[in-house]
Amino acid sequence: MNTDNRVWQWAGHLIMIVVSIACLVPFVLLFVSSITDERMIIQNGYSFFPEKLSATAYVYLYNQSEQILRAYGITILVTLLGTTVSLAITSLLAYPLSRRDIPHHNKLAFFVFFTLLFNGGLVPTYLIYTQYLDIKNTIWALIIPGLLMNGFNVLLMRTFFKTSIPVAVLESAYIDGAGEFRTFRSIVLPLSLPIMATIGLFQTIGYWNDWFNGLVYLNDARLFSIQNILNRILTDIQFLTNGSMSTNASQGLAALPSATVRMAIAVIGVLPILIAYPFFQKYFVKGITIGAVKG
Amino acid sequence: MEQTKKSEFTRRYARYAPLFLMMLPGLLYLVLNNYLPMFGLIIAFKDVNFAKGILGSDWIGFSNFEYLFKTRDAYIITRNTLLYNGGFIAINLVVAVGIAILLNEVKNKFMARFYQSVVLLPYLISMVIVSYLVYALLSIETGFINNTVLPMLGLNEISWYSEAKYWPYILNLVHVWKSAGFLCVVYLAAIIGIDQEYYEAATLDGATKWQQIRAITLPLISPVITMMTLLAIGRIFYSDFGLFYQVPMDAGALSDTTNVIDTYVYRGLMQLGDIGMSSAAGLYQSIVGFVLVLLSNYVVRKINKDNALF
């Protein structure tokens, strides 16, 4: 019995260490490349143990890349604004839906739920946002399409309100003369911090990592988020290395940010999430768990 | 009679007016972002002409679909979408359940928490960053594999971004790397929820760990496994756009093995301007997707009513 246990402990640690290394190592390569001397990369390729280190890439980012700083600002702005508005409209929709007493409560819930089953897909969505709403090349393109609110989060929040806010509390607030908005603000919200944290985190990560809206709705590079910049660099590399005119290609490649600078941009693109992660891990795991087990 | 009925009606709604007001922004967003595009699906049956507008464009019936299904593309994108997603479902299942069981066995609390955090990390980063990581490994001139790994094994360089045959493996690997952590957390939560008494009884009877896993853990988490798998099957017609577009860097040479419905629709719309074909493919995806969701929900409901979505 005891040896069985010990074997499982050893095997468990061993396999998990291998898995952990597999999960971490690419990040290490990314970081090490960003502090490698540019010539080493051209000579030996990306490496975990470069012969020469250099902080040039970060100095470059710090000194002259106005575009990168701007994109970073846009990413932060979009994430803050998007997450805040998203939490507001999600909770404002979910709370009334959690109340069994409002008229047409089932029809309204179905109206939300149906969006999870069927969707118009990219082409009609694109045409509506560009032809009728003129969202192309505005900051709203990064905030509104697809990301602002989704039916799944609404239903998740509704379940939370239903199960953890006692109806008696709401009724006594009503008897004391509190209006619906007042009840929502001073009773429902304070009781709902766990679900707000969970959905807020999902939204923050969603906005921080989004590159799709920028790819589809933006041509104007001044509005690019950091992910869009990274994306643009990648497509440029691809275009130039596949390009038929080799002289133009090498010129173009020279004009691109160097390999180390590219990696440095990627590092500053993931770093905030990696730094914040240990602090919000608890909520995040909880969110995944309720989301999946109690959809 | 009519009078009292009416006033009752207005009273009832007046009482709830603030609640309806609260819902308004959210509902409007759903109309804009979800419902209007559904009606927009009619463009699959139209010869879209922007001068005339969507509603004013001429109807052409099923021509767009005819063109789409006559091409080889329709076959390739359907095959790729189904095969990749099928592969993802199977690999994710084995890897995530395996890791979850092992994590549960690790008795050192600190290490267990550490492992759990680390396997979830790839899930938190964007596909663009993932494609940078893959590029650092696979780039032809500067990639880690071509410069360090293959020479060490005495093999020749491989031009990864122009050889289609490797990509099914690469994409499966990248996908499991990025998403297994998420599923693993779900399964781990289910395992932790199992009553410890089962294990104590089994231990008293002299059952080995392996026997306990087979006789207790797996059967008791099988409802969660079934549900997650059926949900994934319900979405088998959709793919992670970033994985298939960003990670292979939109390389044309790879398109036979990397093109899926989502990337096809995107290319049709943004690169080729072929809105008709693209929206036909999109509608094909939406409808088959819808049917699959209903079907998988029906199956879940048959197996266990509580796990059904609706």
Side-chain angles (χ1 to χ4, degrees):
Chain A
M1 217 35 247
N2 247 336
T3 53
D4 186 40
N5 239 332
R6 212 169 310 133
V7 169
W8 272 91
Q9 283 302 302
W10 275 103
H13 279 291
L14 205 69
I15 295 173
M16 284 318 301
I17 286 169
V18 172
V19 170
S20 302
I21 290 174
C23 287
L24 280 177
V25 143
F27 290 97
V28 176
L29 184 62
L30 186 74
F31 179 70
V32 172
S33 316
S34 76
I35 54 167
T36 301
D37 190 81
E38 180 74 22
R39 272 160 305 171
M40 291 296 113
I41 291 190
I42 295 167
Q43 238 174 59
N44 308 330
Y46 297 105
S47 157
F48 288 96
F49 305 103
E51 288 162 42
K52 197 164 168 233
L53 296 179
S54 142
T56 329
Y58 291 92
V59 173
Y60 170 86
L61 287 192
Y62 183 77
N63 280 338
Q64 39 182 321
S65 197
E66 208 179 301
Q67 197 197 9
I68 307 254
L69 281 180
R70 192 189 164 87
Y72 215 55
I74 286 180
T75 304
I76 293 169
L77 174 76
V78 163
T79 305
L80 286 178
L81 197 64
T83 305
T84 314
V85 177
S86 171
L87 271 181
I89 66 174
T90 307
S91 57
L92 283 172
L93 177 54
Y95 169 64
L97 284 178
S98 75
R99 295 263 303 256
R100 281 164 228 271
D101 52 335
I102 65 164
H104 307 301
H105 140 276
N106 279 332
K107 278 180 217 154
L108 286 165
F110 184 77
F111 185 82
V112 174
F113 181 63
F114 188 70
T115 61
L116 299 180
L117 300 181
F118 190 73
N119 66 70
L122 179 64
V123 182
T125 310
Y126 176 81
L127 291 181
I128 280 176
Y129 276 117
T130 55
Q131 301 290 309
Y132 295 100
L133 294 164
D134 233 356
I135 213 169
K136 202 150 189 171
N137 287 326
T138 65
I139 188 90
W140 306 112
L142 293 175
I143 298 178
I144 296 176
L147 296 171
L148 196 56
M149 190 187 79
N150 67 63
F152 186 75
N153 287 350
V154 175
L155 295 179
L156 209 61
M157 232 186 226
R158 182 186 73 145
T159 312
F160 183 92
F161 290 146
K162 255 188 179 165
T163 48
S164 37
I165 295 177
V167 180
V169 176
L170 298 178
E171 274 166 4
S172 65
Y174 181 67
I175 291 165
D176 286 347
E180 295 292 358
F181 281 97
R182 178 92 192 272
T183 312
F184 180 73
R185 207 185 55 225
S186 25
I187 294 178
V188 178
L189 283 186
L191 288 174
S192 316
L193 288 182
I195 193 75
M196 293 292 168
T198 303
I199 296 199
L201 286 169
F202 283 158
Q203 292 297 106
T204 305
I205 289 175
Y207 275 109
W208 187 273
N209 282 339
D210 182 64
W211 45 273
F212 188 71
N213 279 355
L215 177 69
V216 175
Y217 298 106
L218 295 183
N219 301 323
D220 184 353
R222 285 178 311 158
L223 291 171
F224 276 4
S225 69
I226 209 84
Q227 308 282 348
N228 293 135
I229 299 252
L230 286 168
N231 186 23
R232 171 64 70 86
I233 296 171
L234 210 60
T235 35
D236 285 351
I237 297 174
Q238 182 61 27
F239 177 74
L240 292 168
T241 45
N242 278 0
S244 47
M245 275 165 280
S246 53
T247 46
N248 280 350
S250 57
Q251 262 175 19
L253 278 173
L256 276 175
S258 67
T260 55
V261 170
R262 295 193 307 250
M263 288 309 184
I265 304 173
V267 168
I268 62 165
V270 283
L271 211 57
I273 293 219
L274 296 191
I275 291 174
Y277 176 53
F279 301 101
F280 65 65
Q281 195 216 13
K282 196 180 77 187
Y283 286 114
F284 198 77
V285 169
K286 204 177 273 171
I288 291 176
T289 318
I290 23 173
V293 183
K294 260 215 123 225
Chain B
M1 190 66 201
E2 187 62 23
Q3 191 61 35
T4 55
K5 203 173 168 189
K6 197 172 178 187
S7 74
E8 200 177 298
F9 177 85
T10 42
R11 247 208 344 260
R12 184 156 171 239
Y13 279 88
R15 156 94 173 80
Y16 291 106
L19 288 175
F20 283 110
L21 201 64
M22 281 181 181
M23 287 193 275
L24 205 61
L27 292 177
L28 281 179
Y29 181 72
L30 287 182
V31 168
L32 187 80
N33 188 68
N34 297 76
Y35 282 94
L36 283 179
M38 286 183 206
F39 294 109
L41 283 169
I42 55 167
I43 58 177
F45 304 99
K46 289 197 164 205
D47 181 17
V48 175
N49 179 341
F50 287 125
K52 294 181 184 170
I54 292 176
L55 291 173
S57 295
D58 299 327
W59 289 97
I60 49 166
F62 284 91
S63 308
N64 285 330
F65 293 90
E66 257 179 64
Y67 284 125
L68 171 66
F69 288 105
K70 265 185 197 152
T71 61
R72 215 169 83 84
D73 294 345
Y75 164 72
I76 291 180
I77 58 176
T78 308
R79 179 199 66 185
N80 285 351
T81 306
L82 290 176
L83 283 182
Y84 275 113
N85 281 321
F88 294 166
I89 292 171
I91 295 172
N92 261 341
L93 179 75
V94 174
V95 172
V97 171
I99 295 178
I101 287 175
L102 280 179
L103 266 182
N104 184 52
E105 290 303 325
V106 170
K107 290 294 172 259
N108 182 329
K109 272 251 162 71
F110 175 79
M111 287 313 280
R113 242 185 86 96
F114 170 78
Y115 297 141
Q116 195 192 331
S117 315
V118 169
V119 292
L120 201 50
L121 269 187
Y123 181 73
L124 299 177
I125 60 171
S126 79
M127 262 307 166
V128 174
I129 304 278
V130 174
S131 53
Y132 270 71
L133 298 177
V134 174
Y135 185 75
L137 292 173
L138 299 184
S139 157
I140 291 147
E141 300 86 17
T142 51
F144 180 71
I145 302 228
N146 275 355
N147 279 284
T148 309
V149 179
L150 294 179
M152 231 156 42
L153 301 171
L155 297 170
N156 285 330
E157 291 188 355
I158 294 170
S159 163
W160 298 99
Y161 288 95
S162 50
E163 299 227 28
K165 62 182 172 189
Y166 299 112
W167 283 84
Y169 305 101
I170 298 171
L171 291 178
N172 270 295
L173 210 63
V174 172
H175 184 266
V176 77
W177 182 79
K178 183 145 167 44
S179 61
F182 173 87
L183 276 176
C184 169
V185 171
V186 174
Y187 294 135
L188 187 61
I191 294 176
I192 289 170
I194 295 173
D195 196 335
Q196 283 304 313
E197 282 180 20
Y198 291 114
Y199 293 106
E200 282 159 21
T203 315
L204 283 181
D205 288 341
T208 62
K209 272 270 147 59
W210 181 240
Q211 286 169 330
Q212 293 177 26
I213 287 167
R214 280 190 18 193
I216 302 170
T217 314
L218 284 179
L220 286 177
I221 63 167
S222 72
V224 182
I225 295 180
T226 320
M227 189 186 62
M228 296 305 287
T229 307
L230 283 168
L231 287 179
I233 291 172
R235 292 196 54 80
I236 207 165
F237 244 57
Y238 295 88
S239 2
D240 185 339
F241 175 78
L243 179 64
F244 291 95
Y245 183 78
Q246 298 288 2
V247 177
M249 306 230 293
D250 191 22
L254 307 177
S255 76
D256 257 14
T257 50
T258 61
N259 210 3
V260 288
I261 302 175
D262 288 275
T263 52
Y264 181 81
V265 171
Y266 173 81
R267 287 197 186 99
L269 174 70
M270 303 299 293
Q271 294 173 355
L272 313 171
D274 192 347
I275 293 179
M277 194 94 93
S278 182
S279 53
L283 182 58
Y284 164 55
Q285 180 182 41
S286 293
I287 287 178
V288 180
F290 182 59
V291 172
L292 285 171
V293 172
L294 293 185
L295 212 65
S296 63
N297 185 69
Y298 173 79
V299 177
V300 178
R301 190 177 260 283
K302 280 273 157 197
I303 298 171
N304 183 345
K305 217 172 166 191
D306 292 338
N307 286 335
L309 242 97
F310 49 93

